Each structure stands twice: as C-alpha cells, then as structure tokens.
Amino acid sequence: MLRDEDTEADFQRFLRRVDDVTNLLQGLSSPDSAVREKAIAETEKRLQEQGASREEEEEEESRTTLNRTLINTSGSVKAEAVDADVFLAALEKDAKERAQRRRRNEQLANALKEQGNEAFRRGDFALAIHRYSQGLQKLRDKQELYTNRAQAYLKLHEYEKAISDCEWALKCNKNCLKAYFLMGKAHLALQHFPECRQCYEEMLQIDPQKENLVKDCVNEANLEEKRLRDEERAEREAQAGSVAASSIQELLQRISSPGQDILYYTGGIRLLAQVVNSCTEQTFFRTNNGFSILRNETLRGALCAESRSPAEVELCVSLLLLWQAACAGNEENQRLLLAQPGVSAQLAELLCSGTPHIQRETLALISLYSEHQSGRRLLLRQDLSRWLQILMAFVKSTDARADSAMNILSDLIGEKRFQTQCGAMLSTDVLPLFSQLLVCAGQVNQAALARAVAVLGSLCADVGLRAQLARSRECWQGCLQLLEGCPGASSPGYQHCVFAVLGLMMNLLLESNGAIQDFAVPISGRCLALLSHQDGKIVTRAVGVLSRVLPASPSAVEEVVKGGVVKKMLKFLKGCRCCCSCWRQGTSWWWGMQLCASASACRCPGQPQPCWARGWCSCCSGTLGETLTQPQCSSTRPLPWAGSAWPSQGTFTS
C-alpha cells in the first residue's frame, strides 16, 4: 500500500474533478435537450455551491480580522441571477484554458520522459529518475512516467519505491501490463513469492496471449523460491555437522590452491564429483562457490588449450564430470555454470577438440540442458550460431557421439531463437557440410544422417530458411546423389536416409526458383525410378515429390510420361482397389491421398502389410478388396506428411 495517504487522496480528488468537468462538457454539447438541460442545472448548482463556499470563507475571515468596510452583498445576488449562457461561456472558457494548460504540460512531460529514457539507456538511472519525477510534476496522471521510473528504481535495487510507482501507474490505467510485470519483478527481488505470482496472474487475466511470458516469469519465481529453500536446508545440515558439507568445503579449498601438480587437481576434482550426488550436495557446491574453481590457472589453461597432453585431457574430462554431477536436475547450478566467463564459448571449442573422450562428456553435459525447456532457455541465451554445423559434423562418428549430437539438435531445432541463429551461417557453413554428408552417405553413420536430414526438414517451417535451402544448388545435388544409391544402398540405414531426403525435397519444393527449374528433370527421373521400390513408404514420398515438382516444369512432365508414369499409376490403381476412397473431385489421385484414422487394420487380399504401409490409401470400414466409391468413415485425415492439401500446403516433419 502507498504510505503517502494524503497525496493519494489529493490525487484521487484531482482525477474526480477532471472526470466531472468532462462529463458536464459532454452534457452541455449533447444534441438531446433533456440531457443538455440537466447539465445546465447541474452547472448552475455547482456554481452556486462554489459561491456559497466562497461566502463561508469570507465570513470566516471577517470573524478573525477587524474590517470596518461596508460589505456590499448585492454581488452574490447578482451572481445568482446571472444568465445561464454567461455561466456556460465561463465554464467553456475555463475548460479550454484547462485543456491548453494540459497540452502544454503534456508536451513538457513528454520531453522530460525522453530525456529520462536517454539517461536510462546510458545507464544513468539516478538522472533518469530525476527527469521522470520532473515530468510527473507537470502531468501527475501520466502512467508511462510511473512505470519508467519504477524500472529505473529496479535497476538501483530500490524495490519498495518501484512497487509504489507501479501502484500509481495502475491508478492511472488499471490494465497496465508493464506495471504488473515490474511489480512482479520487485516482489521477486524482495522474496515476496505469493505477491509476485499474483502480479503475473493479473497479467494473464488482462492479456491471455502473454501466456508464454507469464509462464517464464512464474517459472523464474518458482526457481528462486526453490533455490532459497534448498539453501536454507543445506545451511541447517551444515550447522548440524554434515560430513558432506565439510568434505565439499575442504575439497574446494584444496582444488582452489595454486601451484599444485595437474594430477593433484585431477584427483581432487574426481573425488568432488563423487561427493556431489544429491540436491543438498549440489547446493553445498554452489554456496561454497564451487564454480569459481575456474579461476585456478592450471584448470583454466587445460580447459582452453588448443592442444592437450594426456594429463590435460584427463583434467578436462574430470572437470566435465564434476559439472555434470553439479548440474544434473539443478536449474540454478545450470544457470550459474553458463554465467561463468567464457564457459559457453568453450563448450563449442570442446566439441571441436577432436578428442573423443572430451567430446562425449561435453555432449553429455549439454544434454542435461537440452532435455528440458528450462535448460534450453538457458542455452538459447548464448550464441549458438555455430552449433548446427558443429553437431551435424558428428554424423561422421560411428559411436554414440553421433546419437548424442542428434538428440541435442532434435531438442533445439524446435526453438525459434535457435532457428534464427542457424540462419546466420546456414548458406556459408552448414549447407556445404550437409551436402558433403549426403554425397558420402555410405561412409557415415546413416541413422544419424537420416536424423540430420530431418533436422533440416524442420527448419523448412521457417519460410526464410526454407528459401535459403531451396536456392542451394549444393543441397539439391547432394539429395540427388544420395538417391542415386551407393554401396550398401539396400541397408535399413540407407533406406531411412532416402525416406528423410524425399521428405526434405517435398518441403523445399514448396518454393519456386531457378534451382528447382534446373533440377526438375533429374528429380522427376529419380522419383520415377523409386516408384518401383519395395518399401511402400518410400514410394509414397516419391509420389509426393512428383506431385510438387511436375507442376513446376513442363520438361519434367514430358520426361516422366516418356518414362511410363501413366502405366505405373494404372498399375497402382489395379493393385489396390480400395484406394478409390481417397479420390477428390478434379484432383490427381496422388495429390488427394488421405488416410483414415484406423486404416492400419485394412489389408487387401493376399497382402501382408496394411495398404497405407505399402504406399496406398484406404478406408478400413469397407469390405476388404471391395471398390469403395465414397469414404465410409468420418475420421478421414490427411497423411501426416502431406499437410492439408498437396502440392501447395504443409511441410513434412520426420
């Protein structure tokens, strides 16, 4: 609550007077005669009350001051008899003067606000507060000045004053989101957690579209409250003589001591990683400044070295294991680790180190972040523009590093901020590497390559990134190279790569550019060949690619007609009579394919697989093998990769 009650009451009276005058003016100018007469009567009443109050003031003054002058009382009588038009003219003149003064004051207040904003941007928060206060002297009901001053108070850690200004802002505008947001931040800093959450809930009531922002703010409050509870519990255990607390404190002191042998530090860090195995020990590690051990020159030198001796490799691995132990499931420790100078940039360098053991443990550490939304938010505050290229390079690895890297990429790729950062180096660094991986599909981890292709396919949801990919001739050449086959082309891993590449091509063909025109004929030829493939899912995607590339190129249409596409399509229709159910009026059959929700049960006579798994579509409610002229169920839905209609809508996600 505001402490200055007199000031608040005065402010409220001022606002009421402004409202009353506004209402009277609106009534006097109303076209409705009844409303106008009522406003005139109200005006006369107020002027009489004002005259009476002045007479009372004069009487009071005459009681206390000797005055022998003869008082002429005819003035008050004349005032009562003044014509209503004179009153209206006086009132209108007064309103105009008030409006002019307000406009002048508003101009001055806006100028002072801009001066305050400039001081805020420079970091001179005290001057900003002074300018905002000057502005409020000119215009006391300007909400922006209160919220801006509250923000400056927050920077100076004057949280009570910030809350007071936010309350004033809400008196000016009860739906001011910024006031609730800043008030929530101030309550959070004061550890008033219920009040903090209440402010954020008010924001959501005012604007439900702020759900994500409110969710982040509430999570921040929950994290801070949990941190406080954890540290209070750890403090109680330490005072009770906890062995873990004393062990962690002693080990940190020894590791922080300078001038020791590198093996000494490695052993100490390994012991410390074994001790830190629960939330309480993680809290002991944090409250004893465990992350500050990076100030040790030996540790920092080994971590940042361009080339490392075997002993330095072991020291780096030990440090990564310690960080994993300290950060597993602990958001506050994860935040503090990334807040250490240079750690975020060094993680990228460790991934590029070329040392498998260091790379494995670095990937394991990053996975602790990427697996959860809160951890991803922490990662995305860093510069991750190189990470797509770095992580994609692990496709060349034949061990678990490839899967770990693809797991991290799959976690991050759905984040808009990561997609934006990827765009900066997509054409220059990522696409050349990607094309190389496609060309060398036989020599890389094919399961990881299929996932890498799916990651790029996910980027196609962003129109700008999709356009970049679709313009890349290297990308199209790599895709065609993979579809041409390689040694081991019949392996399951290679089939997964073909399946993923076809999905990527479908997405890219949503664009229209010169590169697509140039590659339309070879794309069509390769997809036509895939129509004879034994895997129905690959056939389906090949048909999907054809459905998007053929409308873009008459030459491609001519080539596939020469190649026998019509005959193959007729063969498909004869091979699965129930596919009639997916036809659409006026649309080629493969453009209109749909799959009902329970189609997995539908099998044509003599076929071991469901129709949809072999590349056809069906409606399972009909008799098996019977020609269906209309779909027999209401649950018909588009194929998962087809969007709402081919060829112009939807993108594929593996």
Side-chain angles (χ1 to χ4, degrees):
M1 294 297 295
L2 294 171
R3 295 189 295 270
D4 193 352
E5 296 180 359
D6 292 337
T7 304
E8 181 181 1
D10 184 42
F11 181 71
Q12 294 296 338
R13 285 195 295 273
F14 166 74
L15 292 179
R16 284 197 295 272
R17 286 200 298 272
V18 172
D19 291 339
D20 290 344
V21 172
T22 302
N23 291 335
L24 282 176
L25 287 173
Q26 291 175 349
L28 292 170
S29 60
S30 172
D32 189 334
S33 60
V35 174
R36 192 165 55 250
E37 290 175 3
K38 182 179 179 182
I40 291 173
E42 180 67 22
T43 302
E44 292 178 352
K45 178 183 176 183
R46 287 181 177 273
L47 288 173
Q48 289 172 1
E49 290 175 352
Q50 186 175 4
S53 65
R54 286 178 179 171
E55 287 181 1
E56 290 176 3
E57 291 175 2
E58 290 175 1
E59 274 185 41
E60 183 65 26
E61 186 178 355
S62 69
R63 292 194 191 101
T64 57
T65 305
L66 182 62
N67 188 348
R68 297 180 183 275
T69 305
L70 179 62
I71 299 175
N72 185 358
T73 60
S74 61
S76 61
V77 176
K78 290 180 180 179
E80 294 175 1
V82 173
D83 188 83
D85 291 338
V86 177
F87 286 139
L88 294 179
L91 185 60
E92 186 175 358
K93 180 181 177 182
D94 181 66
K96 288 181 179 179
E97 290 174 353
R98 288 176 182 271
Q100 289 174 355
R101 285 198 300 272
R102 182 172 179 84
R103 282 194 294 270
R104 286 196 300 270
N105 287 338
E106 189 161 9
Q107 290 174 352
L108 292 171
N110 285 333
L112 288 164
K113 184 187 77 170
E114 291 305 318
Q115 293 175 23
N117 292 347
E118 181 61 32
F120 188 95
R121 284 190 289 268
R122 294 197 309 268
D124 191 346
F125 305 118
L127 178 59
I129 289 171
H130 181 62
R131 292 288 182 253
Y132 297 141
S133 300
Q134 288 179 315
L136 286 168
Q137 290 174 4
K138 299 296 181 184
L139 206 64
R140 297 169 61 188
D141 60 341
K142 192 167 181 62
Q143 167 235 298
E144 296 92 336
L145 289 170
Y146 287 113
T147 51
N148 287 7
R149 192 169 68 174
Q151 196 166 3
Y153 279 135
L154 280 176
K155 292 292 185 179
L156 296 178
H157 309 295
E158 298 186 41
Y159 303 117
E160 295 288 357
K161 291 182 178 179
I163 292 172
S164 176
D165 270 359
C166 289
E167 290 177 338
W168 279 105
L170 289 169
K171 292 180 185 300
C172 300
N173 176 10
K174 64 179 181 180
N175 291 329
C176 180
L177 285 172
K178 186 176 181 181
Y180 280 118
F181 177 76
L182 295 174
M183 197 190 307
K185 292 292 184 184
H187 279 304
L188 178 61
L190 293 170
Q191 298 179 352
H192 300 162
F193 300 112
E195 293 86 348
C196 170
R197 294 190 189 92
Q198 185 177 359
C199 289
Y200 298 143
E201 289 169 3
E202 291 289 346
M203 288 176 61
L204 193 59
Q205 291 294 323
I206 295 169
D207 187 357
Q209 293 185 354
K210 300 295 182 186
E211 182 179 2
N212 289 336
L213 173 62
V214 170
K215 184 177 179 181
D216 289 344
C217 291
V218 171
N219 286 340
E220 181 185 17
N222 293 341
L223 176 60
E224 179 63 16
E225 188 173 21
K226 181 179 183 301
R227 180 194 67 80
L228 191 63
R229 287 200 308 267
D230 290 344
E231 291 181 1
E232 289 173 349
R233 182 172 62 250
E235 179 65 22
R236 289 194 299 269
E237 292 196 19
Q239 291 176 354
S242 168
V243 175
S246 58
S247 299
I248 290 172
Q249 188 174 20
E250 182 181 356
L251 284 169
L252 284 172
Q253 288 174 350
R254 294 191 177 190
I255 294 169
S256 299
S257 61
Q260 302 295 329
D261 183 81
I262 193 170
L263 295 178
Y264 174 89
Y265 294 121
T266 301
I269 291 173
R270 290 283 181 142
L271 288 173
L272 185 57
Q274 294 174 6
V275 175
V276 180
N277 55 17
S278 73
C279 179
T280 302
E281 280 85 34
Q282 290 173 335
T283 305
F284 286 143
F285 179 82
R286 179 176 70 246
T287 54
N288 284 279
N289 298 318
F291 292 108
S292 66
I293 61 176
L294 279 179
R295 297 173 187 167
N296 184 300
E297 291 185 4
T298 303
L299 271 62
R300 194 162 191 83
L303 189 68
C304 300
E306 293 185 5
S307 60
R308 298 175 179 85
S309 65
E312 288 175 324
V313 169
E314 284 301 313
L315 180 56
C316 281
V317 170
S318 300
L319 193 57
L320 289 166
L321 290 171
L322 173 61
W323 286 346
Q324 291 175 38
C327 293
N330 193 306
E331 294 180 35
E332 180 63 16
N333 282 7
Q334 290 178 6
R335 184 188 67 80
L336 282 177
L337 174 59
L338 289 182
Q340 301 303 307
V343 167
S344 175
Q346 196 55 41
L347 289 177
E349 298 304 322
L350 293 174
L351 289 174
C352 299
S353 66
T355 306
H357 201 175
I358 290 178
Q359 289 176 328
R360 273 195 298 272
E361 300 308 332
T362 305
L363 289 167
L365 176 63
I366 296 171
S367 295
L368 295 177
Y369 287 83
S370 68
E371 289 171 352
H372 304 284
Q373 180 65 43
S374 58
R376 289 195 292 274
R377 283 198 300 268
L378 292 172
L379 283 178
L380 292 169
R381 293 175 187 172
Q382 321 303 317
D383 181 8
L384 305 184
S385 55
R386 296 174 54 208
W387 281 39
L388 179 58
Q389 176 194 5
I390 292 171
L391 292 170
M392 195 171 287
F394 281 99
V395 170
K396 299 176 183 178
S397 303
T398 57
D399 56 18
R401 287 174 292 165
D403 285 336
S404 297
M406 292 307 106
N407 287 338
I408 294 170
L409 268 184
S410 298
D411 292 334
L412 293 176
I413 202 64
E415 302 290 340
K416 184 65 178 177
R417 183 176 176 84
F418 183 65
Q419 294 175 6
T420 301
Q421 294 190 31
C422 289
M425 305 182 72
L426 185 64
S427 298
T428 56
D429 297 328
V430 176
L431 286 178
L433 170 64
F434 178 66
S435 302
Q436 179 187 0
L437 294 174
L438 292 177
V439 171
C440 303
Q443 290 80 46
V444 301
N445 187 320
Q446 292 178 344
L449 176 59
R451 296 182 65 185
V453 174
V455 164
L456 280 195
S458 298
L459 287 180
C460 290
D462 183 285
V463 176
L465 296 178
R466 186 175 69 215
Q468 273 188 262
L469 287 164
R471 287 193 300 266
S472 171
R473 304 181 72 85
E474 287 179 306
C475 180
W476 286 112
Q477 289 170 347
C479 291
L480 289 171
Q481 184 80 22
L482 185 139
L483 295 181
E484 287 294 332
C486 64
S490 59
S491 67
Y494 182 78
Q495 303 306 319
H496 290 152
C497 291
V498 171
F499 186 70
V501 164
L502 289 170
L504 174 62
M505 293 170 70
M506 285 177 63
N507 287 339
L508 299 184
L509 287 167
L510 290 171
E511 299 294 318
S512 178
N513 56 47
I516 291 175
Q517 294 288 334
D518 293 342
F519 285 99
V521 172
I523 290 172
S524 304
R526 190 64 196 118
C527 289
L528 182 62
L530 288 174
L531 294 182
S532 302
H533 201 281
Q534 60 182 0
D535 189 330
K537 293 183 292 184
I538 289 178
V539 174
T540 301
R541 287 201 174 172
V543 170
V545 174
L546 284 172
S547 73
R548 290 186 174 179
V549 73
L550 293 181
S553 172
S555 300
V557 173
E558 184 178 348
E559 289 297 321
V560 296
V561 170
K562 290 179 181 178
V565 68
V566 175
K567 189 177 295 186
K568 290 188 177 184
M569 293 304 171
L570 290 173
K571 181 180 178 182
F572 292 160
L573 291 174
K574 292 178 181 178
C576 183
R577 298 173 65 197
C578 62
C579 67
C580 301
S581 63
C582 69
W583 282 25
R584 291 182 179 176
Q585 292 291 332
T587 309
S588 298
W589 72 271
W590 62 85
W591 287 11
M593 283 203 300
Q594 289 194 335
L595 176 68
C596 70
S598 54
S600 58
C602 178
R603 287 177 171 78
C604 290
Q607 295 292 343
Q609 290 182 303
C611 300
W612 65 269
R614 304 198 331 275
W616 323 126
C617 53
S618 62
C619 182
C620 61
S621 61
T623 305
L624 296 184
E626 177 185 351
T627 299
L628 303 177
T629 57
Q630 296 290 335
Q632 299 298 310
C633 67
S634 59
S635 59
T636 302
R637 60 177 172 82
L639 286 167
W641 43 265
S644 57
W646 288 6
S648 60
Q649 300 178 12
T651 57
F652 162 76
T653 302
S654 286

